[in-house]
Amino acid sequence: MRRILIVKVSSLGDVVHNMPLVYDLKARWPDCAIDWVVEEGYVDLVRLVPGVDRIIPFALRRWRKQLTRGSAWRELVAFRRALKAQTYDAVIDTQGLLKTAVVAGWARRAPGAEVIGLANATEGSGYEPASRWFYTRSITVPLRTHAVQRSRLLGAAVTGRVPDSMPAFFGPAAQHLHVDDPLWQDLPERFAVGFHATAGARKRWPVAHWHALGQRLQSEGLTLLLPWGSEAERAEAEAIAAGVPEARVLPRFSLLQAFGLIQRATLIVGVDTGLVHIAAALKRPTVEIYTATGRWKTEGYWAPCIANVGDQGVVPDVETVHAAAQRVMAEMTGMAAMVEPMEMPEGRA
């Protein structure tokens, strides 16, 4: 394999959970080049994955809003040209939507090169059966397959190897990204980030629960910091902060600035949303709260400092979340102690 194209355009959490596929392909063919088609808003995110040779921005959301403008059509033509600028030995569409299957079909392929995609939906996914028309081979996966494993199984159809290693996500650059950003210069010494916001109202955790958790964390020396991304989310953050002593509503920040906040946090607690999945992928002390979606779909399982509580239709109580928070912080402390350099005997370098 000289060059492989991955098609996974969105959403934030899905893009993160697709990253281990890159490592699997590189483990099989270290010298292969890997290109990735992704929604334009996540280009900088994919740049943090070692092994991605070229990122091809996809802007269908914006193009749809600008169909009457010639610039949108010119961008679409340039996008198709980019797909044909290289010849691919394999194309893998891990999203399973008609739009992504069409993109996979547009790619220029070497003779005999396959287009690999999903043959079926997993439980609750947005899979579109018509996508199979554009694949040369469709792979059946179990109905309850974790988002990470689903992508890795499609990769296994290309490599011939079912991966048994723990998934890897971001490269070393992500560890220090925006840690020293001026936006974070006045952060408390010890703090918890509460990612309370989500597009789906059913995925939220009750404000009263955030109050009780924040109060307990504050009594233990952790200041609760509350991000937001829209005016509605800001109002919710302010409502939570009103019930927690010394809690702060943060200023608005970019996706990449979030890395600095997450890396400096003592604890991350949040609902099933992309920023929480980034925290888990970075192996920070993270509690993922599930209320309306199946935990099996996206729960972090690759580090002991990640805890998953609740489930579809099961809203975890404050005691459960607090106990999980104590556990992941203790695990993180233990992990940090293991990597600290050992003291050398006197007289030895």
Side-chain angles (χ1 to χ4, degrees):
M1 290 286 172
R2 294 181 300 275
R3 187 171 291 271
I4 301 168
L5 178 66
I6 295 173
V7 182
K8 172 70 88 174
V9 299
S10 61
S11 59
L12 176 55
D14 288 342
V15 170
V16 172
H17 290 143
N18 196 61
M19 291 175 179
L21 173 58
V22 174
Y23 293 85
D24 293 346
L25 295 172
K26 280 291 189 178
R28 178 68 175 88
W29 297 293
D31 296 329
C32 75
I34 298 173
D35 295 354
W36 186 330
V37 176
V38 71
E39 185 67 36
E40 61 181 355
Y42 304 133
V43 166
D44 288 339
L45 192 72
V46 175
R47 285 200 180 105
L48 297 172
V49 185
V52 177
D53 185 65
R54 187 172 68 125
I55 303 170
I56 306 174
F58 185 67
L60 185 60
R61 295 174 183 175
R62 181 168 55 80
W63 295 336
R64 281 175 173 168
K65 297 176 182 178
Q66 300 175 351
L67 288 178
T68 59
R69 298 183 184 179
S71 59
W73 291 101
R74 286 191 294 272
E75 285 186 31
L76 180 58
V77 170
F79 171 75
R80 290 198 61 178
R81 190 180 300 119
L83 286 174
K84 297 183 181 300
Q86 300 286 349
T87 300
Y88 295 103
D89 299 291
V91 179
I92 310 172
D93 172 20
T94 61
Q95 195 131 9
L97 300 177
L98 184 57
K99 65 182 180 183
T100 56
V102 169
V103 167
W106 281 347
R108 179 181 175 185
R109 289 178 284 138
E114 291 190 296
V115 179
I116 303 293
L118 290 163
N120 63 290
T122 52
E123 189 176 301
S125 71
Y127 176 78
E128 294 174 345
S131 61
R132 293 196 299 267
W133 297 340
F134 296 87
Y135 306 146
T136 61
R137 184 153 55 113
S138 301
I139 307 303
T140 301
V141 298
L143 293 180
R144 287 201 165 196
T145 303
H146 191 284
V148 168
Q149 187 66 4
R150 185 175 57 197
S151 294
R152 299 184 87 184
L153 287 175
L154 290 179
V158 178
T159 64
R161 299 177 180 178
V162 177
D164 58 4
S165 60
M166 280 294 178
F169 299 88
F170 298 102
Q175 304 303 315
H176 307 287
L177 188 67
H178 285 286
V179 167
D180 297 322
D181 193 297
L183 188 65
W184 308 132
Q185 63 183 354
D186 294 325
L187 292 178
E189 182 177 350
R190 299 181 71 245
F191 62 89
V193 179
F195 286 118
H196 58 93
T198 173
R202 295 188 307 115
K203 296 163 82 174
R204 293 176 186 159
W205 202 45
V207 170
H209 286 20
W210 281 110
H211 286 165
L213 177 66
Q215 291 164 13
R216 295 191 68 169
L217 294 176
Q218 178 61 38
S219 70
E220 295 162 356
L222 285 173
T223 302
L224 182 62
L225 305 185
L226 298 159
W228 54 277
S230 68
E231 287 305 314
E233 292 171 3
R234 182 174 185 171
E236 183 180 53
E238 290 171 347
I240 295 171
V244 181
E246 299 184 33
R248 296 188 193 176
V249 176
L250 292 171
R252 195 166 190 167
F253 53 84
S254 71
L255 176 59
L256 293 189
Q257 285 175 313
F259 280 75
L261 179 68
I262 289 168
Q263 292 288 9
R264 291 179 58 171
T266 308
L267 171 70
I268 297 94
V269 181
V271 294
D272 176 18
T273 190
L275 288 171
V276 174
H277 297 314
I278 287 177
L282 290 170
K283 297 182 182 179
R284 299 298 299 156
T286 304
V287 180
E288 301 187 63
I289 299 173
Y290 292 86
T291 61
T293 50
R295 196 168 82 185
W296 59 268
K297 294 181 181 180
T298 57
E299 62 183 340
Y301 60 85
W302 41 84
C305 61
I306 306 168
N308 307 276
V309 295
D311 211 332
Q312 185 171 6
V314 180
V315 180
D317 59 23
V318 175
E319 186 62 39
T320 299
V321 175
H322 181 259
Q326 296 297 310
R327 187 167 65 253
V328 299
M329 287 189 290
E331 289 285 357
M332 195 68 194
T333 300
M335 290 167 61
M338 290 176 63
V339 300
E340 285 183 1
M342 296 177 60
E343 290 189 15
M344 300 298 292
E346 189 175 346
R348 295 186 61 182

